[in-house]
């Protein structure tokens, strides 16, 4: 009888252990889902459009939480989906804010007729694209540009155009790779 009781107790212990592990694994899966859906996600820079701020191959952590509590600000580097290719995300800098008029003239950006003070772009823009004529942004619209202006597909390009607030996934927050450039991203 004692052997039978010991065996039953061992079986119950094994079942409890398995249930405990099952609950633990379920918790990790749910927590991971919530973090990736609502808090942040990892993304990789593909291309040169944000040089010299971000480089091809940089791995970033994207903050998806901030814009739930506040409006995006000028100069923030944001991530948004490219509408013509599934699972493709662009990384650009916010230049124009809701209600502003944006124009690119002689290679420079003008906001409401005033030249924007910028010091992160590589060179003057060769192609103003659709911003050759003034673009007035709606109440929830943003105009974005890459820092490497002559090698960037951004709001000047009709395929990207002006972004709506709902299009913004989040802001680039931390560079997590490569190791020699790990750190918080500067939003000038």
């Amino acid at each position: 009888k004692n052997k039978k009781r010991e065996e039953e107790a061992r079986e119950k212990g094994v079942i409890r252990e398995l249930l405990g592990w099952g609950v633990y694994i379920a918790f990790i899966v749910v927590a991971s889902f919530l973090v990736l859906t609502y808090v942040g996600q990892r993304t990789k820079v593909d291309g040169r459009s944000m040089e010299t701020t971000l480089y091809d191959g940089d791995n970033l952590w994207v903050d998806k939480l901030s814009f739930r509590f506040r409006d995006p600000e000028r100069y923030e580097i944001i991530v948004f989906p490219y509408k013509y290719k599934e699972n493709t995300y662009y990384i650009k800098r916010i230049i124009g804010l809701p209600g502003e008029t944006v124009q690119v003239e002689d290679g420079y950006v003008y906001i409401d007729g005033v030249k924007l003070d910028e010091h992160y772009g590589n060179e003057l823009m060769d192609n103003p694209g659709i911003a050759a004529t003034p673009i007035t942004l709606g109440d929830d619209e943003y105009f974005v540009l890459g820092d490497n202006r002559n090698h960037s597909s951004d709001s000047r390009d009709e395929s990207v155009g002006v972004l709506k607030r709902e299009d913004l996934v989040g802001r680039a927050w931390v560079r997590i790779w490569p190791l020699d450039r790990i750190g918080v991203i500067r939003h000038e």
Side-chain angles (χ1 to χ4, degrees), residues 166-182:
E166 65 194 29
D167 297 330
L168 308 184
V169 171
R171 64 192 285 268
W173 181 43
V174 175
R175 184 182 352 246
I176 56 178
W177 186 263
L179 293 175
D180 63 335
R181 290 199 308 269
I182 285 179

Side-chain angles (χ1 to χ4, degrees), residues 14 18-19 48-49 56 70 74 76 79 83 89 100 108 120 131-132 162-163 174 176:
V14 168
L18 290 173
L19 285 174
R48 302 177 42 218
S49 73
D56 186 39
R70 65 170 182 80
R74 187 179 336 277
E76 285 190 296
V79 174
K83 56 188 165 190
Y89 294 86
E100 295 180 334
Y108 295 100
Y120 44 77
V162 170
L163 302 178
V174 175
I176 56 178

Side-chain angles (χ1 to χ4, degrees), residues 18-161:
L18 290 173
L19 285 174
W21 275 103
V23 168
Y24 176 73
I25 290 169
F27 173 78
I28 295 297
V29 167
V30 169
S32 297
F33 171 78
L34 292 173
V35 165
L36 292 175
T37 302
Y38 299 108
V39 178
Q41 74 182 43
R42 186 193 69 79
T43 193
K44 184 177 180 182
V45 177
D46 184 18
R48 302 177 42 218
S49 73
M50 285 301 293
E51 288 179 357
T52 59
T53 306
L54 303 173
Y55 294 90
D56 186 39
D58 283 358
N59 280 261
L60 313 175
W61 184 254
V62 177
D63 164 20
K64 296 168 78 173
L65 202 56
S66 292
F67 294 159
R68 294 182 190 278
F69 300 104
R70 65 170 182 80
D71 290 331
E73 298 172 3
R74 187 179 336 277
Y75 305 122
E76 285 190 296
I77 299 171
I78 54 99
V79 174
F80 60 95
Y82 181 58
K83 56 188 165 190
Y84 297 111
K85 190 172 182 187
E86 196 171 325
N87 295 321
T88 300
Y89 294 86
Y90 278 9
I91 301 171
K92 306 292 177 201
R93 188 180 297 274
I94 293 176
I95 299 299
L97 300 171
E100 295 180 334
T101 299
V102 180
Q103 184 173 10
V104 175
E105 192 172 16
D106 298 325
Y108 295 100
V109 176
Y110 291 84
I111 303 290
D112 295 332
V114 177
K115 184 177 165 187
L116 187 63
D117 180 27
E118 298 182 282
H119 46 277
Y120 44 77
N122 282 343
E123 54 200 358
L124 293 179
M125 286 176 272
D126 292 335
N127 181 6
I130 63 172
T133 57
I135 297 172
T136 300
L137 302 172
D139 289 341
D140 69 338
E141 293 181 331
Y142 296 85
F143 188 90
V144 298
L145 293 173
D147 288 358
N148 193 359
R149 304 282 164 84
N150 292 320
H151 304 279
S152 177
S153 184
D154 46 41
S155 287
R156 296 171 295 159
D157 185 331
E158 288 183 16
S159 72
V160 176

